């Protein structure tokens, strides 16, 4: 027998309507680039609007999109920073029945074009600071029919229009299209562990459920009284879902755009009376440094309104948590992935543990406990379940209503597996789980490097370096870095009778990669450890070169 409840579909228009009606006067603040200082650096210009205006413009965007010859489910790409216009796209694109594809602005233009083509994007909303990429994208991406520039259009360009003029020439959409809650709403690409980037296609339902799961007290604790600063970019897993969560619950939102250095963030936290801010460890290290300097100078910032810093994307060291506590600031760790929307665990504490005790810090340095409706499991290399004893490591599996059940266009099938008659996603993380449910990441089986919160593909770097005529074998591994968390280290076996320098290798691969992808150092060696199946044993290399860059190993110029 079925229950007698209304099967109301969970869709993004409900989030938009809440913002348009009950939160219409709540403020949305953006720092937009407003000219340049004497050093040529962009200077932030404060822009304020309200949820009411954002919703009105989002509905104009929805109407404008419906005026194009598009088919429901078509992908609309953004290459944009965090701002109120990006929020309009978050709300307007899915509400018009299309899919919002948020693209990573930090990738090499060739990678951007590859992803655009793979997604089959038909419309691009691009920030005015990136317009120099447009001609190359127009040439490389045949499906791309319309390009609209967010912000002032610096100069007329063929096939390019102003986003503001375009949407304001339409009246707000009056009737939402019929949307099934399982229809696609958003698309994000993540770095493939082997091969090309993979797309994760979020649904309306998964977005709504994720937003509802993130808001409560023992998750991210977001409500109408909050002022939230998502420093994590809106192109990275939808800024951890915060733009939707905040809009659903009416929190005041602050978008820092391209201004994410420690000093500007400290200033925003103080001036805007931010209560919750979210970012990767690299961002927080910059902020901590700024707070330490200000305290030493006797001019500390007033962050008395700041209740919580949320850290994720990479492990938050205990020292970081303690450092912020010394400023009276509480940092909460969360774990997740592009494939999990991302929030899956949060390091909230039971009532009997003092967060500032040694035990409290040790627990908060773990990745945390599952939020409701998420399940975790650990398996051994043989596929057997591993005990949750806090000691035995296993491959971390995850399932839940906001976890992907496949990649876009059916790729990467190997990451999805059956266990006990249920489908699970294999995260590629190696972790322990303890009796109380605390998950602790120990290592990573996926062959990737995470630098400043963004992935670098070691496989892509290796392939490019192997093409050098003097290179016989090459492995790129992550080395620890105090600022970026990890940086790529290349370990190269030169061909017999050849030698090669780090600089020569960089010169060879530079045209193919964004600058921040390039290895920081190259080690020459006469062999690489190879396992029984013929694969390079990266784990052994990671152990061998642990601490590289700390002075324990000769620096790169001595090695060639
Ligand atoms: P992404 O898809 O870019 O969000 O990356 C997800 C991956 O980042 C996870 O599988 C982990 O390897 C890593 N990650 C995310 N959050 C944390 C965390 N709190 N601690 C350690 N690793 C993390």
């Amino acid at each position: 027998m079925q229950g007698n409840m209304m099967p109301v579909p969970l869709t993004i228009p409900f989030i938009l309507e809440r913002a348009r009606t009950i939160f219409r006067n709540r403020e949305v603040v953006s720092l937009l680039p407003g000219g340049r200082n004497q050093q040529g650096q962009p200077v932030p210009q404060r822009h304020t609007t309200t949820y009411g205006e954002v919703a009105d413009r989002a509905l104009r965007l929805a109407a404008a999109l419906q005026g194009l010859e598009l088919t429901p489910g078509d992908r609309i790409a953004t290459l944009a920073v965090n701002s109120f216009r990006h929020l309009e796209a978050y709300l307007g694109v899915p509400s018009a029945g299309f899919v919002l594809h948020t693209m990573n602005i930090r990738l090499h233009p060739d990678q951007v074009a590859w992803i655009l083509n793979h997604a089959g994007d038909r419309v691009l909303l691009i920030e005015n600071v990136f317009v120099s990429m447009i001609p190359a994208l127009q040439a490389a991406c045949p499906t791309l029919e319309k390009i609209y520039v967010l912000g002032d259009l610096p100069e007329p360009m063929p096939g390019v229009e102003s986003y503001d003029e375009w949407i304001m020439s339409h009246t707000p959409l009056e009737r939402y299209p019929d949307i099934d809650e399982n229809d696609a709403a958003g698309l994000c690409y993540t770095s493939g562990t082997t091969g090309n980037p993979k797309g994760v296609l979020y649904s309306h339902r998964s977005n709504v459920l994720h937003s509802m799961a993130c808001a409560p007290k023992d998750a991210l604790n977001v409500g109408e009284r909050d002022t939230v600063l998502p420093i994590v970019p809106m192109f990275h897993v939808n800024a951890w879902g915060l733009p939707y969560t905040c809009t659903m619950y009416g929190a005041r939102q602050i978008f820092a755009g391209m201004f994410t250095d420690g000093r500007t963030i400290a200033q925003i936290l103080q001036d805007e009376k931010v209560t919750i801010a979210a970012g990767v460890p690299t961002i927080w290290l910059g902020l901590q440094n700024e707070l330490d300097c200000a305290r030493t100078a006797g001019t500390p910032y007033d962050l008395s309104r700041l209740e919580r810093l949320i850290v994720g994307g990479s492990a938050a060291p205990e020292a970081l948590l303690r450092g912020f506590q010394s400023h009276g600031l509480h940092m909460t760790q969360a774990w997740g992935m592009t494939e999990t929307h991302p929030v899956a665990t949060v390091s909230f504490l039971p009532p009997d543990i003092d967060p500032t005790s040694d035990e409290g810090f040790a627990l908060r340095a773990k990745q945390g406990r599952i939020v409701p409706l998420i399940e975790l499991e650990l398996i051994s290399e043989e596929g057997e379940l591993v005990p949750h004893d806090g000691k035995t490591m296993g491959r971390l599996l995850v399932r839940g209503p906001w976890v992907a059940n496949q990649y876009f266009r059916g790729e990467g099938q190997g990451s999805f597996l059956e266990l006990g008659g249920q489908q699970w996603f294999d995260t590629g993380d190696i972790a322990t789980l303890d009796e109380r449910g605390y998950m602790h990441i120990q290592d990573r089986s996926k062959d990737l490097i995470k630098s400043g919160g963004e992935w670098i593909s070691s496989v892509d770097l290796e392939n490019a370096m192997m093409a050098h005529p003097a290179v016989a074998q090459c492995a790129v591994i992550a080395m620890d870095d105090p600022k970026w968390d990890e940086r790529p280290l290349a370990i190269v076996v030169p061909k017999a009778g050849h030698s090669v320098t780090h600089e020569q290798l960089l010169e060879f691969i530079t045209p193919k990669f964004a600058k921040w992808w390039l290895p920081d150092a190259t080690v020459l060696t006469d062999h690489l450890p190879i396992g029984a199946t013929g694969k390079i044993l990266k784990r052994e290399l990671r152990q061998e070169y642990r601490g590289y860059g700390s002075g324990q190993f000769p620096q790169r110029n001595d090695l060639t």
Side-chain angles (χ1 to χ4, degrees), residues 538-551:
K538 293 257 179 112
R539 220 164 162 179
E540 272 190 23
L541 284 175
R542 283 203 295 272
Q543 263 165 14
E544 188 177 341
Y545 290 98
R546 176 148 293 149
Y548 189 92
S550 61

Side-chain angles (χ1 to χ4, degrees), residues 382-542:
E382 293 72 41
E384 303 295 328
L385 286 176
V386 156
H388 298 185
D389 57 8
K391 291 194 284 280
T392 317
M393 290 188 226
R395 293 176 76 94
L396 181 66
L397 310 183
V398 61
R399 58 180 261 112
W402 52 91
V403 177
N405 68 357
Q406 59 176 306
Y407 285 110
F408 186 47
R409 304 202 191 280
E411 288 160 3
Q413 289 299 341
S415 298
F416 303 91
L417 50 98
E418 286 265 310
L419 190 72
Q422 287 171 327
Q423 194 188 18
W424 292 80
F425 173 72
D426 184 348
T427 63
D429 287 324
I430 309 291
T432 57
L433 276 163
D434 71 16
E435 295 83 355
R436 286 172 300 183
Y438 282 93
M439 189 269 285
H440 195 190
I441 303 248
Q442 309 286 335
D443 198 358
R444 188 185 296 150
S445 66
K446 48 195 171 193
D447 197 0
L448 291 166
I449 296 149
K450 201 148 206 201
S451 184
E454 299 295 331
W455 291 118
I456 295 173
S457 162
S458 46
V459 178
D460 285 359
L461 287 172
E462 286 159 8
N463 287 342
M465 292 179 105
M466 293 281 285
H468 190 283
V471 174
Q473 273 182 307
C474 170
V476 177
I477 59 168
M479 60 176 176
D480 295 339
D481 185 273
K483 179 170 180 194
W484 301 107
D485 190 32
E486 293 177 1
R487 291 293 304 148
L489 170 69
I491 301 164
V492 167
V493 182
K495 282 189 184 151
H498 287 74
S499 190
V500 65
T501 65
H502 176 68
E503 286 70 22
Q504 286 166 339
L505 283 169
L506 285 200
E507 199 187 329
F508 184 70
I509 65 168
T510 291
K512 295 197 174 77
F513 299 104
K515 208 163 151 230
W516 61 276
W517 272 47
L518 300 176
D520 275 14
T522 302
V523 176
L524 296 188
T525 179
D526 54 5
H527 79 284
L528 294 173
I530 307 288
T533 56
K535 277 193 184 168
I536 296 172
L537 297 173
K538 293 257 179 112
R539 220 164 162 179
E540 272 190 23
L541 284 175
R542 283 203 295 272

Side-chain angles (χ1 to χ4, degrees), residues 97-110:
F98 304 110
V99 178
L100 179 77
H101 172 203
T102 45
M103 277 197 296
N104 187 336
I105 58 175
R106 301 204 181 119
L107 295 179
H108 188 278
D110 289 352

Side-chain angles (χ1 to χ4, degrees), residues 55-77:
D56 175 88
R57 285 171 51 98
L59 288 170
R60 289 174 192 271
L61 167 62
L65 284 168
Q66 290 206 337
L68 302 177
E69 285 179 7
L70 299 172
T71 309
D74 274 346
R75 271 75 61 205
I76 313 299

Side-chain angles (χ1 to χ4, degrees), residues 189-191 236-237 240 281 311-316 333-340 342 345 365-367 396 425 427-429 439 441 443-444 446 450 453-455 485:
Y189 277 73
T190 183
S191 208
H236 192 131
V237 210
W240 301 345
V311 62
S314 291
Q333 181 159 198
W335 168 88
M337 322 176 60
T338 305
E339 292 86 340
T340 70
T345 71
K366 298 184 178 188
Q367 280 63 35
L396 181 66
F425 173 72
T427 63
D429 287 324
M439 189 269 285
I441 303 248
D443 198 358
R444 188 185 296 150
K446 48 195 171 193
K450 201 148 206 201
E454 299 295 331
W455 291 118
D485 190 32

Side-chain angles (χ1 to χ4, degrees), residues 64-386:
L65 284 168
Q66 290 206 337
L68 302 177
E69 285 179 7
L70 299 172
T71 309
D74 274 346
R75 271 75 61 205
I76 313 299
T78 60
L79 265 173
V81 300
N82 293 11
S83 84
F84 70 98
R85 290 193 182 90
H86 213 163
L87 181 62
E88 290 162 13
Y90 267 54
L91 298 170
V93 171
S95 297
F98 304 110
V99 178
L100 179 77
H101 172 203
T102 45
M103 277 197 296
N104 187 336
I105 58 175
R106 301 204 181 119
L107 295 179
H108 188 278
D110 289 352
Q111 288 174 313
V112 171
W114 186 94
I115 291 173
L116 239 148
N117 282 330
H118 190 269
D121 295 317
R122 295 189 65 187
V123 177
L124 171 65
L125 312 181
I126 184 168
E127 204 77 46
N128 59 5
V129 283
F130 306 130
V131 290
S132 60
M133 288 173 74
I134 290 177
L137 294 177
Q138 281 170 322
C141 306
T143 59
L144 197 54
E145 290 157 38
K146 292 278 182 187
I147 300 180
Y148 298 97
V149 170
L150 307 174
D152 296 335
L153 191 58
E155 60 200 41
M157 296 179 82
V160 179
E161 292 170 49
S162 153
Y163 164 86
D164 285 343
E165 284 174 19
W166 174 52
I167 64 164
M168 293 314 284
S169 67
H170 289 78
T171 52
L173 189 76
E174 280 178 8
R175 194 176 177 284
Y176 294 106
D178 286 337
I179 297 172
D180 184 290
E181 64 174 10
N182 289 307
D183 284 350
L187 177 63
C188 274
Y189 277 73
T190 183
S191 208
T193 46
T194 51
N196 292 317
K198 294 186 171 50
V200 180
L201 201 52
Y202 306 127
S203 64
H204 282 259
R205 175 185 153 89
S206 68
N207 267 303
V208 170
L209 289 175
H210 179 261
S211 305
M212 295 188 75
C214 283
K217 215 167 180 164
D218 285 335
L220 306 185
N221 196 353
V222 176
E224 190 178 354
R225 285 158 189 264
D226 283 304
T227 292
V228 179
L229 172 69
I231 309 170
V232 48
M234 287 169 87
F235 61 75
H236 192 131
V237 210
N238 289 352
W240 301 345
L242 281 166
Y244 286 127
T245 305
C246 292
T247 307
M248 180 183 263
Y249 287 92
R252 182 169 167 260
Q253 289 192 74
I254 314 288
F255 295 115
M258 56 209 297
F259 304 99
T260 57
D261 61 285
R263 181 162 298 170
T264 314
I265 294 297
Q267 207 65 52
I268 300 173
L269 293 173
Q270 174 178 274
D271 296 351
E272 302 293 346
K273 299 186 173 51
V274 170
T275 60
I276 302 172
V280 296
T282 304
I283 290 287
W284 296 136
L285 279 170
L287 176 69
Q288 196 175 48
N289 190 32
E290 176 64 20
L291 299 187
D292 289 348
C293 291
R295 180 167 58 189
T296 310
T299 51
Y301 290 89
D302 173 9
L303 302 183
S304 50
R305 300 291 290 277
L306 188 55
E307 288 169 20
R308 219 163 20 272
L309 301 174
I310 300 161
V311 62
S314 291
E318 198 176 315
L320 190 70
L321 309 180
R322 286 185 184 269
F324 276 110
Q325 203 71 51
S326 77
H327 291 280
L329 297 174
H330 185 90
M331 179 168 259
T332 302
Q333 181 159 198
W335 168 88
M337 322 176 60
T338 305
E339 292 86 340
T340 70
H341 242 288
V343 179
T345 71
V346 181
S347 65
F348 57 92
L349 296 181
D352 54 317
I353 295 180
D354 171 2
T356 57
S357 65
D358 285 349
E359 188 185 12
F361 277 118
L363 278 182
R364 285 162 57 200
K366 298 184 178 188
Q367 280 63 35
R369 299 194 283 178
I370 44 175
V371 294
L373 304 186
I374 290 290
E375 296 169 66
L376 294 180
E377 205 37 278
L378 295 174
I379 54 166
S380 65
E381 283 307 319
E382 293 72 41
E384 303 295 328
L385 286 176
V386 156

